[in-house]
Amino acid sequence: MELLYLFNNSKQKIMNEIIKKNGVTYGAILGLISIASTTLIYVTDIKLFMSWWIGGISLILNIMIGIFLVSNTKKQLNNTISFKDAFSVYFIAGVLGSTVSALFNYFLFNFIDPQAKETLKEMTIKYTVEMMEKFGTPKEVLNQTITELQKADNYSLENIFMGLLFVYLIVAIFGLILAAIFKSKSPSSQGL
């Protein structure tokens, strides 16, 4: 009986190491992809930061990497993965990748090129005003919105942190969906 306990405990340690290794590895990959794409957009045309399709491509890429990550991890675990392990590997990668990306944006727009932050703020105000005018927003509300947007610093440490909390929530939701899809079906392999 003791030998069986030691075998199961050793197997669990190996599984935990695979989860941690894959989560950190893919998190670093996600972070580096984000840094590379942000840098590419920055040097190409700063207006691209305002494009909805850039965000769409980024979302699709992250989803594809997440699916590959959980699928690959399941294969490494002999095609058996618990809900908890599937969620954990994706959540670790998502949190690490998002944090690396946010830190890069913080340094880029606060230390490397603060003027780019101001340019993006002006563009945001312009686009917001155009949209609000299309919807017939009253002048007082429009002026108040402009004033609030001018005061805002989207790349302050506080706003970066608040944005990260929201991203972590999205990562958790998507991680739960992936875990439900990829978890092993046999009762003996489920972690929940």
Side-chain angles (χ1 to χ4, degrees):
M1 190 69 166
E2 191 173 309
L3 188 59
L4 184 61
Y5 172 77
L6 289 173
F7 174 75
N8 284 336
N9 195 25
S10 174
K11 184 179 172 186
Q12 187 62 35
K13 278 185 177 182
I14 292 170
M15 288 174 62
N16 286 340
E17 288 303 314
I18 291 171
I19 299 298
K20 288 177 194 172
K21 180 182 136 275
N22 286 356
V24 170
T25 300
Y26 281 83
I29 290 168
L30 286 169
L32 291 174
I33 289 171
S34 178
I35 288 171
S37 62
T38 298
T39 303
L40 184 63
I41 292 168
Y42 173 77
V43 299
T44 303
D45 185 359
I46 201 163
K47 291 177 186 173
L48 291 173
F49 283 111
M50 305 301 289
S51 298
W52 64 269
W53 59 272
I54 294 286
I57 290 171
S58 176
L59 179 64
I60 290 169
L61 184 62
N62 280 302
I63 289 170
M64 289 171 42
I65 291 171
I67 290 169
F68 181 78
L69 163 62
V70 177
S71 175
N72 190 40
T73 302
K74 184 175 182 177
K75 285 178 189 169
Q76 290 178 353
L77 297 173
N78 298 320
N79 286 320
T80 303
I81 193 166
S82 68
F83 182 90
K84 176 186 171 203
D85 288 342
F87 173 79
S88 296
V89 73
Y90 179 77
F91 190 73
I92 291 167
V95 165
L96 181 60
S98 302
T99 303
V100 167
S101 175
L103 289 172
F104 178 74
N105 287 340
Y106 176 73
F107 283 104
L108 174 64
F109 294 114
N110 285 292
F111 299 106
I112 298 170
D113 189 359
Q115 184 56 45
K117 173 173 66 170
E118 294 305 315
T119 302
L120 285 172
K121 181 190 285 191
E122 291 169 15
M123 291 168 50
T124 301
I125 292 169
K126 179 184 172 203
Y127 289 130
T128 303
V129 167
E130 288 173 2
M131 286 298 259
M132 292 177 79
E133 286 176 342
K134 283 181 186 177
F135 289 110
T137 305
K139 199 72 165 164
E140 311 82 50
V141 175
L142 194 60
N143 290 336
Q144 181 181 357
T145 302
I146 291 170
T147 302
E148 288 173 13
L149 288 173
Q150 287 172 337
K151 290 180 190 175
D153 180 1
N154 292 335
Y155 296 99
S156 70
L157 203 52
E158 179 183 350
N159 285 335
I160 294 269
F161 177 73
M162 294 306 290
L164 262 179
L165 291 180
F166 177 74
V167 170
Y168 293 165
L169 178 63
I170 299 301
V171 166
I173 291 168
F174 190 67
L176 291 171
I177 293 168
L178 276 179
I181 292 169
F182 282 96
K183 73 178 179 173
S184 298
K185 304 298 182 217
S186 68
S188 63
S189 64
Q190 293 181 1
L192 290 180

